[in-house]
Amino acid sequence: PGFAPPPSSTGIGPSSYPPATGAPRPPTMPGPPLPGQTVAGPPASQPNHVSSPPPPSAMSGPHPAPPVSGLHGPPPPTHPPQPGYQMQQNGSFGQVRGPQPNYGGAYPGTPNYGSQPGPPPPPKRLDPDSIPSPIQVIEDDRSNRGSEPFVTGVRGQVPPLVTTNFLVRDQGNASPRYIRCTSYNIPCTSDMAKQSQVPLAAVIKPLATLPPEETLPYLVDHGESGPVRCNRCKAYMCPFMQFIEGGRRFQCCFCSCVTEVPPHYFQHLDHTGKRVDFYDRPELSLGSYEFLATVDYCKNNKFPSPPAFIFMIDVSYNAVKSGLVRLICEELKSLLDYLPREGNMEESAIRVGFVTYNKVLHFYNVKSSLAQPQMMVVSDVADMFVPLLDGFLVNVNESRTVIASLLDQIPEMFADTRETETVFAPVIQAGLEALKAAECAGKLFIFHTSLPIAEAPGKLKNRDDKKLINTDKEKTLFQPQTSFYNNLAKDCVAQGCCVDLFLFPNQYLDVATLGVVTHQTGGSIYKYAYFQLETDQDRFLNDLRRDVQKEVGFDAVMRVRTSTGIRATDFFGAFYMSNTTDVEMAGLDCDKTITVEFKHDDKLSEDSGALLQCALLYTSCAGQRRLRIHNLSLNCCTQLADLYRNCETDTLINYLAKYAYRGVLSSPVKTVRDALINQCAQILACYRKNCASPSSAGQLILPECMKLLPVYLNCVLKSDVLQPGLEVTTDDRAYIRQLVTSMDVAETNVFFYPRLLPLTKADVDSDSLPAAIRNSEERLSKGDIYLLENGLNIFVWVGVNVQQGLIQNLFGVSSFSQISNALSTLPVLENPFSKKVRSIIDMLQVQRSRYMKLIIVKQEDKLEMLFKHFLVEDKSLSGGASYVDFLCHMHKEIRQLLS
């Protein structure tokens, strides 16, 4: 009694997968569907299957249940197949099946089938084709949800997957480009949330870039009085506020307090209680919009000056000798014309300044009235000050000739340097002091090559120690070696000084310490190990151009308000927090996300649902103070089945990875990995116990929208931070840890489960990409060429038996042995295959926030080890399980929890 039939679920074995979405599925099966149930059949390419009758509980429950399929052992012989029932009605019965095109044989499970006659069948390896495939789920979602726009008017809708190309129409909830949630239907009580163990989190990207077909957030100007807000909780006017008393007052949707409508904002209501100007006001009809902030929202109650960019170039021996200094100076000459500017402005309002450094700092006066730039040296690095006020920060157009002259002279001045040592903290202090003196916010672009061992504040020692891996002290490798940089970061945030760091190490540099200020100021970090001009300059210059040009806000503060019942309790990302509610960022760009976890502090109701409002106060690149508001409404449920029907695995993995990557700062890596496995086992065991139909313990039954949780979780567990390979350096791990903390859902998706494309299958006459294949060596054929991308690297793998004509067309050489591993770009050849492959690579580069490094891998070559590390469904050399083995392990964990 009281049993609710399952939300749609997937078992592993003889079944086809319905689409991984919460959308209703059209009946595709012959025969009458059962009352109150959505029925979906197998893909058209598969024969219809027949299954035995479902138990009565599956038909009589109070909630409609989408289809279910189970992880099967051989069907017990007591149930002869009976025609006339829909397949996938219940996961606990085996099905009669023909050979299927996409999936292989049944999972043997553990031989535990009750009264099974005869000896149990010998266990055979789980067929990889019979377990949930990321490729299949991604393809299904594209075909089901890629054609229609996603309209945000309805509460609690699960958006299409991040891998699906779709347009968004804002009708009152923020676009999934700005906010994605782990679940769009959250439990009404904390007990229920604890029982399911599904974390409730939102991944928020407040300044996300929109595609050209979508409208940018409108800017609303309420004049002197500023935005209308709730008197008590200070939430901003939004579509969920309730106007009462003929429109004279409004009731807050977050805290229920009633506030007078200011006279200038008054408007009559129509017969439905809506204001008659509803559609004219973005803040009443849209999920995302901006307010122009008044002077009360500004520091020291005065409007901000436009921000400044300061370029700080390491001119020690390594930087000069590698050609880096000359490269940076050449690039800046043209790049300074592309500084970000407000929509219709003729030129950027951002001023620029220049510093070079090794053991001492050199400041440059580039005032427009000078014939030549002037250099001032500060050698007392222990007490940093800026030796000039006038002429350090200048307008690019006014000082153009002086700046050009300086950029020509810098490489010559230091051409014969013998100085190998560098300082680091004083460089940040210098930039900070310059911004303080100019009374503005801004960004430091620091180009740095080595561990700062010169005598100065923030001096570091080489503490790298591989012996600490897998010990309790491993966590120290991720922690900064001194608290000096944390204090410096705090001062930077107070001034709105954001630090972007470009690193060019030839050995250990201590990213964990050098990256602290970057991380806490909302900056970006880029690393080019063993930088070589000919192979790395493209990647570095592309990264630098994008970093300088991209949309960025300064002096930002973000607060997330929620309706009564839940509250924001935890935050992940690149920022600083001085209290429990305000996320402070000296800079916030269009690529950065902040992940917020929510916990219950009261009951929620199914009727009112739950609301969140993210408010970001920031200074635009022209010095305008603005508020950007994103609102989202979620459903609430009293049945676990509704929670499991509305989760989004990609977002869940994004959250779990960030949670784990923070965990390594304080716990041994093994503890962090075990906790991840345990939490996911609990999520799936709770589903099995409360939502799936009763069936034998030999079956693993997964919720439909979480069927990729095991494969993706395994990828996180095998990642370099949690299970490093031998060739992975301590700096690499600290770097990846920092990158992932700010990634959006699309970035973590491809980072943990890379995209693998068979290039030889590409249609040279169409614009489309070839269909992706699964990340496993057994999917590769020796006669083909493949491309693998993970957001940081692009590998082109060439099989030993590839036709000579293809090699000629792509690499311009006549045989496999002549292909060079050293290529960092493919040669430009005038043939359809070369053009197609290069256009695919360009297309992928544009989609990612960083320029990916191209690596050519020949089969059976030494680089192949590196490539295989990214075939994440296979066993890894560092001890990571294969997908098949991990799935069996998860099944065992779940069974233990259930017994």
Side-chain angles (χ1 to χ4, degrees):
F3 172 77
S8 77
S9 53
T10 297
I12 297 184
S15 66
S16 59
Y17 296 120
T21 66
R25 303 172 178 79
T28 54
M29 295 278 313
L34 286 155
Q37 303 220 325
T38 322
V39 177
S45 63
Q46 303 186 357
N48 278 334
H49 301 304
V50 184
S51 73
S52 32
S57 64
M59 294 194 259
S60 56
H63 297 278
V68 180
S69 44
L71 172 56
H72 301 267
T78 48
H79 292 285
Q82 296 172 15
Y85 285 94
Q86 273 66 40
M87 165 215 178
Q88 295 184 322
Q89 206 51 68
N90 179 306
S92 54
F93 292 88
Q95 289 140 11
V96 179
R97 42 181 290 144
Q100 284 176 280
N102 302 330
Y103 304 100
Y107 173 52
T110 45
N112 173 17
Y113 303 106
S115 58
Q116 194 174 311
K124 61 177 191 299
R125 183 170 166 268
L126 184 47
D127 175 0
D129 281 335
S130 66
I131 58 182
S133 152
I135 306 303
Q136 189 70 44
V137 170
I138 289 168
E139 281 309 313
D140 288 348
D141 194 72
R142 278 186 187 144
S143 55
N144 290 321
R145 306 198 64 186
S147 48
E148 291 294 301
F150 179 69
V151 182
T152 72
V154 183
R155 182 174 86 190
Q157 286 183 100
V158 183
L161 298 181
V162 282
T163 41
T164 298
N165 219 342
F166 61 99
L167 282 180
V168 180
R169 279 222 299 276
D170 183 342
Q171 290 193 358
N173 281 292
S175 159
R177 302 190 205 288
Y178 295 124
I179 309 183
R180 277 188 177 263
C181 296
T182 52
S183 179
Y184 289 80
N185 198 333
I186 61 181
C188 283
T189 65
S190 64
D191 287 349
M192 197 173 150
K194 282 196 188 87
Q195 190 187 351
S196 75
Q197 284 289 312
V198 174
L200 305 174
V203 180
I204 307 175
K205 196 175 183 183
L207 297 180
T209 311
L210 300 183
E213 307 87 335
E214 292 175 19
T215 320
L216 293 170
Y218 289 98
L219 182 58
V220 178
D221 183 358
H222 283 318
E224 298 282 294
S225 56
V228 178
R229 302 175 70 175
C230 165
N231 270 342
R232 180 162 61 193
C233 74
K234 299 288 183 264
Y236 294 86
M237 180 52 66
C238 73
F240 313 122
M241 298 288 190
Q242 197 63 48
F243 287 88
I244 52 176
E245 293 172 28
R248 285 189 295 282
R249 306 169 81 189
F250 69 90
Q251 184 168 27
C252 178
C253 50
F254 294 96
C255 72
S256 305
C257 171
V258 173
T259 300
E260 295 284 326
V261 172
H264 73 87
Y265 198 70
F266 174 78
Q267 188 51 270
H268 296 284
L269 309 183
D270 67 13
H271 64 285
T272 66
K274 254 186 188 168
R275 284 175 51 129
V276 297
D277 62 354
F278 173 82
Y279 288 109
D280 305 331
R281 290 196 177 270
E283 73 275 21
L284 299 182
S285 52
L286 298 175
S288 301
Y289 41 86
E290 293 201 311
F291 291 118
L292 205 52
T294 56
V295 76
D296 313 336
Y297 292 88
C298 302
K299 240 185 225 164
N300 312 324
N301 272 13
K302 59 184 235 214
F303 283 114
S305 310
F309 281 2
I310 304 176
F311 297 91
M312 315 186 88
I313 306 168
D314 171 345
V315 289
S316 64
Y317 178 75
N318 273 347
V320 174
K321 187 163 176 295
S322 65
L324 182 62
V325 173
R326 188 174 297 277
L327 182 68
I328 294 168
C329 292
E330 276 305 310
E331 179 60 31
L332 286 179
K333 282 189 220 167
S334 53
L335 188 52
L336 293 176
D337 286 331
Y338 296 96
L339 299 178
R341 58 170 186 258
E342 216 71 272
N344 47 10
M345 288 173 55
E346 284 296 299
E347 61 172 57
S348 173
I350 294 172
R351 288 172 300 161
V352 298
F354 303 89
V355 171
T356 56
Y357 67 94
N358 37 46
K359 264 188 354 192
V360 298
L361 275 73
H362 325 106
F363 294 79
Y364 297 94
N365 183 343
V366 282
K367 200 167 158 181
S368 56
S369 55
L370 296 173
Q372 281 296 325
Q374 294 170 346
M375 173 179 180
M376 298 184 185
V377 180
V378 175
S379 49
D380 181 7
V381 289
D383 184 18
M384 190 37 69
F385 68 100
V386 179
L388 71 158
L389 283 180
D390 192 28
F392 179 64
L393 293 177
V394 297
N395 171 296
V396 174
N397 277 339
E398 289 169 15
S399 295
R400 182 174 299 278
T401 50
V402 197
I403 292 173
S405 169
L406 170 67
L407 293 171
D408 281 335
Q409 288 176 40
I410 288 173
E412 306 311 324
M413 271 190 292
F414 299 101
D416 301 323
T417 184
R418 285 272 157 275
E419 185 53 74
T420 56
E421 293 189 354
T422 57
V423 296
F424 185 70
V427 182
I428 297 176
Q429 286 170 325
L432 172 61
E433 292 304 322
L435 294 177
K436 271 187 190 163
E439 295 186 357
C440 69
K443 185 179 266 203
L444 313 182
F445 296 83
I446 303 180
F447 305 91
H448 189 78
T449 61
S450 61
L451 190 71
I453 54 172
E455 208 43 66
K459 168 186 169 179
L460 301 180
K461 55 183 194 292
N462 186 342
R463 52 153 186 171
D464 188 18
D465 188 358
K466 281 274 180 96
K467 290 198 288 296
L468 299 181
I469 292 179
N470 294 328
T471 70
D472 285 355
K473 290 217 177 94
E474 183 170 5
K475 57 180 182 248
T476 59
L477 296 174
F478 295 110
Q479 298 164 354
Q481 59 171 283
T482 153
S483 61
F484 184 87
Y485 288 95
N486 293 55
N487 298 328
L488 180 52
K490 190 173 165 181
D491 296 342
C492 286
V493 173
Q495 182 56 40
C497 169
C498 175
V499 179
D500 279 2
L501 190 50
F502 292 82
L503 296 173
F504 305 87
N506 288 332
Q507 56 206 40
Y508 178 72
L509 182 91
D510 203 346
V511 172
T513 306
L514 296 190
V516 166
V517 179
T518 296
H519 194 61
Q520 294 189 17
T521 58
S524 304
I525 183 165
Y526 299 85
K527 184 161 81 71
Y528 311 88
Y530 308 110
F531 177 82
Q532 285 180 314
L533 217 51
E534 54 281 5
T535 53
D536 298 313
Q537 81 170 32
D538 269 1
R539 182 164 61 108
F540 162 56
L541 293 179
N542 274 291
D543 284 342
L544 176 60
R545 285 166 196 156
R546 184 153 195 274
D547 197 58
V548 167
Q549 295 174 47
K550 67 183 168 189
E551 183 187 353
V552 58
F554 293 95
D555 244 330
V557 183
M558 184 181 105
R559 186 177 275 200
V560 179
R561 293 180 173 81
T562 50
S563 52
T564 312
I566 51 169
R567 62 196 170 86
T569 54
D570 209 351
F571 301 85
F572 303 82
F575 52 73
Y576 174 78
M577 288 187 88
S578 53
N579 56 33
T580 56
T581 54
D582 294 339
V583 175
E584 299 173 53
M585 293 157 288
L588 171 70
D589 65 49
C590 55
D591 297 321
K592 294 279 182 305
T593 63
I594 295 96
T595 301
V596 185
E597 187 179 7
F598 303 96
K599 289 250 174 19
H600 288 76
D601 56 7
D602 205 346
K603 281 196 172 63
L604 294 163
S605 88
E606 282 188 283
D607 294 341
S608 50
L611 302 175
L612 34 138
Q613 182 178 78
C614 159
L616 175 79
L617 174 66
Y618 71 100
T619 301
S620 76
C621 60
Q624 198 177 53
R625 201 72 177 145
R626 294 181 179 182
L627 284 150
R628 180 170 287 205
I629 313 294
H630 297 298
N631 303 288
L632 187 62
S633 58
L634 302 171
N635 287 329
C636 298
C637 57
T638 53
Q639 298 289 333
L640 283 163
D642 292 325
L643 163 70
Y644 283 103
R645 209 182 265 125
N646 292 282
C647 288
E648 214 219 3
T649 297
D650 291 325
T651 309
L652 191 55
I653 288 291
N654 180 286
Y655 164 84
L656 289 170
K658 290 170 181 176
Y659 185 78
Y661 281 18
R662 184 176 68 186
V664 299
L665 290 172
S666 50
S667 308
V669 172
K670 181 168 182 349
T671 310
V672 172
R673 293 179 44 223
D674 291 345
L676 265 184
I677 294 174
N678 183 42
Q679 181 169 5
C680 288
Q682 288 194 16
I683 291 173
L684 297 173
C686 172
Y687 172 78
R688 174 66 194 256
K689 183 176 167 195
N690 299 288
C691 308
S693 312
S695 60
S696 109
Q699 293 162 308
L700 170 60
I701 298 186
L702 301 168
E704 180 59 30
C705 65
M706 282 190 192
K707 63 186 175 187
L708 298 181
L709 187 60
V711 62
Y712 286 164
L713 176 71
N714 191 34
C715 296
V716 175
L717 295 169
K718 295 200 297 190
S719 63
D720 289 335
V721 172
L722 298 182
Q723 198 162 37
L726 285 171
E727 70 299 333
V728 178
T729 67
T730 302
D731 275 345
D732 287 333
R733 297 177 75 196
Y735 176 61
I736 297 290
R737 197 189 77 78
Q738 194 158 323
L739 285 187
V740 168
T741 307
S742 302
M743 278 185 184
D744 69 13
V745 180
E747 288 171 319
T748 49
N749 173 275
V750 78
F751 179 74
F752 289 114
Y753 192 94
R755 174 148 60 162
L756 182 58
L757 305 172
L759 293 178
T760 15
K761 305 269 189 294
D763 176 358
V764 293
D765 300 319
S766 95
D767 288 343
S768 61
L769 290 173
I773 58 171
R774 291 171 64 170
N775 280 283
S776 169
E777 196 175 353
E778 61 185 42
R779 312 273 166 181
L780 304 179
S781 125
K782 288 183 171 183
D784 286 317
I785 301 176
Y786 298 86
L787 178 151
L788 182 144
E789 64 129 352
N790 73 340
L792 296 182
N793 298 306
I794 290 181
F795 292 92
V796 172
W797 182 91
V798 188
V800 284
N801 298 345
V802 172
Q803 290 169 6
Q804 188 242 326
L806 283 175
I807 291 175
Q808 184 73 53
N809 281 345
L810 193 55
F811 299 103
V813 296
S814 55
S815 70
F816 179 82
S817 60
Q818 290 175 307
I819 300 171
S820 160
N821 285 352
L823 292 176
S824 57
T825 52
L826 290 172
V828 177
L829 303 170
E830 284 304 312
N831 66 70
F833 185 57
S834 171
K835 282 183 185 159
K836 177 66 183 175
V837 172
R838 284 180 291 112
S839 85
I840 289 175
I841 290 175
D842 293 344
M843 198 155 119
L844 299 179
Q845 292 286 21
V846 171
Q847 289 175 10
R848 305 291 169 215
S849 61
R850 289 165 183 255
Y851 195 82
M852 296 181 280
K853 178 179 183 153
L854 180 70
I855 301 168
I856 308 292
V857 179
K858 294 155 73 173
Q859 188 179 359
E860 294 164 11
D861 191 63
K862 58 181 185 302
L863 269 177
E864 207 184 16
M865 299 306 289
L866 180 60
F867 172 74
K868 284 181 179 172
H869 181 66
F870 295 96
L871 297 175
V872 290
E873 290 197 21
D874 299 340
K875 267 196 182 63
S876 73
L877 283 168
S878 48
S882 70
Y883 175 20
V884 166
D885 293 345
F886 184 68
L887 199 57
C888 296
H889 178 68
M890 279 304 281
H891 189 194
K892 197 172 90 202
E893 295 279 320
I894 292 165
R895 284 214 312 275
Q896 272 173 339
L897 287 171
L898 292 175
S899 61

